[in-house]
Amino acid sequence: MPPRSRPAAADQPTLSESDGIRYLHFGTEWIQGAMRIKAPAELVLEYTTQMMAWLLFLDPPKDEAIGQLGLGAASITRFCMKHTRSPLTVVEWNSQVTAVCQMFFRLPTSSRLTVHHEDAGAWVADPLNAGRCPVLMVDLYDAQARGPVRDSVAFYRHCRRVLGEVGVLSVNLFGRHESFEPNIENLRQAFDDRIVLLPEIEEGNQIVLAFSGPPLAVTPAQLLERAEVVESKYGLPARRWARALTRHAVDGMLHF
């Protein structure tokens, strides 16, 4: 798919509200993001909490940025602004989404936050962005919200380069769509098979983590201990994630 430049009619952001939650759409019933109006920094959708599962393996960076490809309703952005001190770099090709987030989804204005209005595929391919974000969260969907709009082996290899020497990529996939298995294969190729899947949630989303850097080997007990720290500090269901990952243990060790 060539780089996207100008939003089409199907890319126009639309809003809905129900039970105190505001939702972002692109003119369809598919939800692109959500915000609890009285608690804007809360992660409402389960898949957005799972996107933060990289915290099981890395602390938020101090100097480099937490990266996001796809702004959505700025849920993860608001969460990271509140709970970390990291710089944040967001790549969102559709400036109308950014404007809607500023008006209706409390997207903060801060010197820590940079939003690039650029195609995510072009941004990660730029050599100047190599090593920029040791954490990179990828959530790239169009109005149909079924399969990612950027998902080639080359794209994921460029994401790996953005991570630098040590980093974790988290990707939102849709397990019930035909794009799922090709995405998994492309991620395996790009990351030398160093990926792990979190359990599919009820809505069909499934988060994949991919790793760059030296191989990791931890015991289930060590991972659960880290999960307790993450859960206590960030209020995320990290122990549930850790318990799910322990099924990958071989001879009492987890390898990532």
Side-chain angles (χ1 to χ4, degrees):
M1 183 183 295
R4 297 173 295 175
S5 55
R6 301 183 66 179
D11 300 311
Q12 303 298 315
T14 55
L15 308 177
S16 67
E17 287 187 17
S18 177
D19 297 326
I21 298 175
R22 184 171 296 154
Y23 298 96
L24 175 71
H25 311 265
F26 289 135
T28 71
E29 75 276 15
W30 297 109
I31 293 171
Q32 301 286 341
M35 179 185 74
R36 191 176 304 281
I37 296 171
K38 292 186 177 180
E42 177 184 332
L43 293 173
V44 176
L45 303 177
E46 184 178 359
Y47 91 87
T48 60
T49 69
Q50 288 194 359
M51 291 286 283
M52 298 296 297
W54 55 267
L55 284 165
L56 289 173
F57 304 94
L58 288 178
D59 287 324
K62 295 180 180 179
D63 300 318
E64 297 89 359
I66 294 173
Q68 288 179 250
L69 305 184
L71 179 61
S75 305
I76 290 173
T77 311
R78 292 189 302 272
F79 183 89
C80 289
M81 288 293 293
K82 179 177 180 179
H83 293 282
T84 80
R85 296 182 179 180
S86 303
L88 302 177
T89 295
V90 179
V91 182
E92 170 54 59
W93 83 286
N94 188 345
S95 61
Q96 296 175 53
V97 170
T98 305
V100 165
C101 285
Q102 290 169 336
M103 289 186 288
F104 299 105
F105 290 95
R106 301 191 191 179
L107 179 65
T109 299
S110 170
S111 60
R112 290 169 51 205
L113 173 63
T114 304
V115 180
H116 299 274
H117 293 127
E118 185 177 351
D119 184 279
W123 190 87
V124 297
D126 187 341
L128 293 177
N129 294 320
R132 186 173 294 250
C133 303
V135 174
L136 189 61
M137 292 174 277
V138 182
D139 189 14
L140 297 171
Y141 285 80
D142 60 14
Q144 299 305 311
R146 303 296 281 182
V149 297
R150 291 287 176 265
D151 59 3
S152 67
V153 174
F155 169 74
Y156 288 130
R157 283 178 175 158
H158 290 146
C159 287
R160 182 175 180 175
R161 185 172 65 180
V162 170
L163 294 178
E165 294 183 3
V166 177
V168 182
L169 180 81
S170 62
V171 186
N172 175 34
L173 299 180
F174 201 76
R176 303 171 192 173
H177 188 256
E178 62 187 12
S179 65
F180 181 75
E181 291 300 334
N183 265 276
I184 295 300
E185 179 57 31
N186 291 349
L187 280 160
R188 290 191 187 281
Q189 287 190 44
F191 283 85
D192 300 325
D193 210 29
R194 293 184 62 198
I195 70 169
V196 66
L197 283 67
L198 290 169
E200 180 179 321
I201 65 172
E202 183 176 350
E203 291 79 6
N205 301 78
Q206 190 158 13
I207 304 305
V208 182
L209 302 179
F211 302 86
S212 69
L216 301 175
V218 299
T219 66
Q222 289 172 323
L223 188 65
L224 287 166
E225 182 179 359
R226 169 66 180 180
E228 290 178 1
V229 173
V230 172
E231 190 151 332
S232 175
K233 187 171 183 178
Y234 300 100
L236 297 168
R239 287 180 292 180
R240 186 194 314 162
W241 305 334
R243 286 193 294 268
L245 294 179
T246 58
R247 72 179 188 270
H248 298 286
V250 177
D251 297 328
M253 295 295 295
L254 291 159
H255 300 273
F256 301 103

